[in-house]
Amino acid sequence: MISVRVAACRQEALDIIGIELVRDDGAPLPAFSAGSHIDLHLPGGLVRQYSLCNHPDEFHRYQIGVLKDPASRGGSAAVHALTEGARLQISEPRNLFPLVHEARRSLLFAGGIGITPILCMAERLANLGADFELHYCARSVERAAFVDRLRQGSFSDRVHFHFDDRKGGEPLDASALLSEPAEGTHLYVCGPGGFMDHVLGTAKAQGWDEANLHREYFSAAPTSQADDGSFEVQLSSSGRVLQVPADQSVAQVLEAAGVIVPLSCEQGICGTCLTRVLEGEPDHRDLFMTEAEQAANDQFTPCCSRSKSTRLVLDL
C-alpha cells in the first residue's frame, strides 16, 4: 500500500472531477504503463479501481478522472467529496488493459469517462511515434473530459470528437471506421457498456480478429438472479465440498469457509479473483475474459460467475 494525498481537484467536465495524487512522503511513485489502474481506498472502507490518465513517464503524480454516477455503489460519490490535502491509501498500478506495442496501427475508442485509460494510451503512442487515431464520443462537449488537453496536445490532429448533440463533432459511424480490418491493426475501447458493445459488435461483424480487440469495462450491467440455483464447489487440495446457495457468490462462500481469494471490483471486471477450474462448467458472468477464454471453461471469476454443472472443482 502507498500513502498519498490529494494535491489537486479539478472539474474536468459536467459531473467529472479530476484528482491528482502525490506520494505523502514526497518520493517518486511507482512506474506504470498505459492502460494501468490503481485501487483507491476511500473513506468508509470502500475500494474502487480507477484508470491512470496522466503521461506514463510521470513519476511525481497519478491522475484519475471520476464520473459522479447516480447509480454508483458509493465510490464515485466518495471521490467527489474529496478535498485537497485528503490522505488516502492506494495500491501499486496494475495493467489489465495493456497496449500491444508491436501493432502496426492502433484505433482508440472512448465513450464518456472511458477517456481516462485511452488518453494515457494516446500520449504513450504519440511519444513512441506510433500510428494511431483516437475517437472520443460523449453526449455533448460539456460532458467530455480533458477536451482542452486533447485539442492542445501534440497529437491533436489524430483526435476526432463525436457528440450526440452534433455541436463540435458528428456522432460516431463505427461501421465506416471499422469497415476494413487490416492486419496488425488493434482496437481499444473503453466506456459505457452499450457503447462498448456497439463498437466491439460492429468490429466483429466486419470480420475483425478477436485477438485484435481490447476492452476495459468500468462496471457490469445488473444481471437477473431469478434463475440462480445452488451448486457445489470442491477444493482440489483437500477434497472439501462447499455448497453455494442461490443468494451467495462463490467468493462469499469461500471467504466464510476461510479460503481467501483476492478480490477487488467484485463485478467480474478486473480479473483479480480469476481462479482455475479443473472440472465442471462455469456460468461465466464476467466482463474480463474474452469469449475464447470463457469457452475454454478452465477458469472463472468467483466474485460473480456461477456454475452450469452441479459441481465445480477448483484449483484451490
Side-chain angles (χ1 to χ4, degrees):
M1 298 290 287
I2 304 171
S3 297
V4 297
R5 63 179 173 82
V6 176
C9 300
R10 301 184 186 91
Q11 199 70 33
E12 298 290 352
L14 183 63
D15 290 332
I16 296 178
I17 192 171
I19 300 289
E20 184 177 317
L21 302 169
V22 299
R23 197 156 184 159
D24 210 15
D25 59 8
L29 288 159
F32 68 96
S33 54
S36 294
H37 71 271
I38 56 171
D39 292 345
L40 185 62
H41 293 252
L42 294 161
L46 295 174
V47 181
R48 295 292 184 265
Q49 296 73 43
Y50 296 107
S51 296
L52 298 176
C53 57
N54 53 304
H55 197 291
D57 289 346
E58 294 184 343
F59 300 99
H60 66 289
R61 66 170 183 169
Y62 289 154
Q63 187 178 20
I64 60 174
V66 181
L67 170 69
K68 189 173 185 179
D69 185 355
S72 165
R73 296 176 295 147
S76 70
V79 172
H80 277 251
L82 293 174
T83 57
E84 292 186 15
R87 285 172 165 75
L88 303 163
Q89 297 285 311
I90 63 171
S91 70
E92 291 199 6
R94 291 181 296 160
N95 199 340
L96 303 173
F97 190 39
L99 283 168
V100 178
H101 285 91
E102 61 270 23
R104 294 180 183 175
R105 179 173 170 77
S106 299
L107 292 178
L108 311 178
F109 289 85
I113 193 58
I115 190 61
T116 49
I118 297 297
L119 175 56
C120 185
M121 288 178 168
E123 293 195 330
R124 175 59 175 164
L125 290 168
N127 192 50
L128 293 172
D131 184 8
F132 76 96
E133 63 181 56
L134 189 163
H135 294 270
Y136 185 17
C137 306
R139 288 162 57 188
S140 65
V141 66
E142 292 80 12
R143 293 186 176 274
F146 307 111
V147 171
D148 289 342
R149 184 167 154 190
L150 289 165
R151 285 177 170 165
Q152 296 168 12
S154 63
F155 53 89
S156 59
D157 59 327
R158 309 186 206 184
V159 178
H160 306 272
F161 294 98
H162 307 276
F163 301 126
D164 291 347
D165 63 4
R166 298 178 181 267
K167 296 178 181 178
E170 292 297 309
L172 180 73
D173 186 349
S175 295
L177 290 169
L178 303 174
S179 60
E180 298 180 4
E183 184 178 353
T185 298
H186 285 253
L187 182 155
Y188 304 83
V189 59
C190 187
F195 167 78
M196 294 180 63
D197 291 344
H198 172 63
V199 173
L200 293 170
T202 302
K204 292 174 186 177
Q206 304 278 25
W208 283 67
D209 189 334
E210 174 72 30
N212 289 23
L213 304 178
H214 312 277
R215 78 278 285 166
E216 182 168 68
Y217 288 89
F218 280 139
S219 63
T223 58
S224 172
Q225 298 178 335
D227 298 326
D228 286 351
S230 63
F231 58 95
E232 297 174 341
V233 292
Q234 182 175 349
L235 312 182
S236 64
S237 60
S238 63
R240 186 179 179 187
V241 176
L242 303 172
Q243 188 75 24
V244 181
D247 61 347
Q248 286 188 277
S249 69
V250 176
Q252 289 171 331
V253 170
L254 291 172
E255 182 180 14
V259 180
I260 304 303
V261 173
L263 296 172
S264 187
C265 73
E266 299 184 59
Q267 297 184 82
I269 297 170
C270 70
T272 299
C273 67
L274 203 62
T275 300
R276 190 178 175 206
V277 176
L278 302 178
E279 296 179 28
E281 183 181 1
D283 178 7
H284 296 289
R285 302 186 181 185
D286 69 280
L287 295 172
F288 175 73
M289 291 188 286
T290 65
E291 293 178 2
E293 289 171 334
Q294 290 181 343
N297 285 327
D298 58 359
Q299 55 187 345
F300 87 136
T301 50
C303 69
C304 65
S305 296
R306 301 188 68 78
S307 180
K308 293 181 179 179
S309 53
T310 56
R311 177 179 293 187
L312 293 177
V313 180
L314 307 181
D315 189 18
L316 292 172

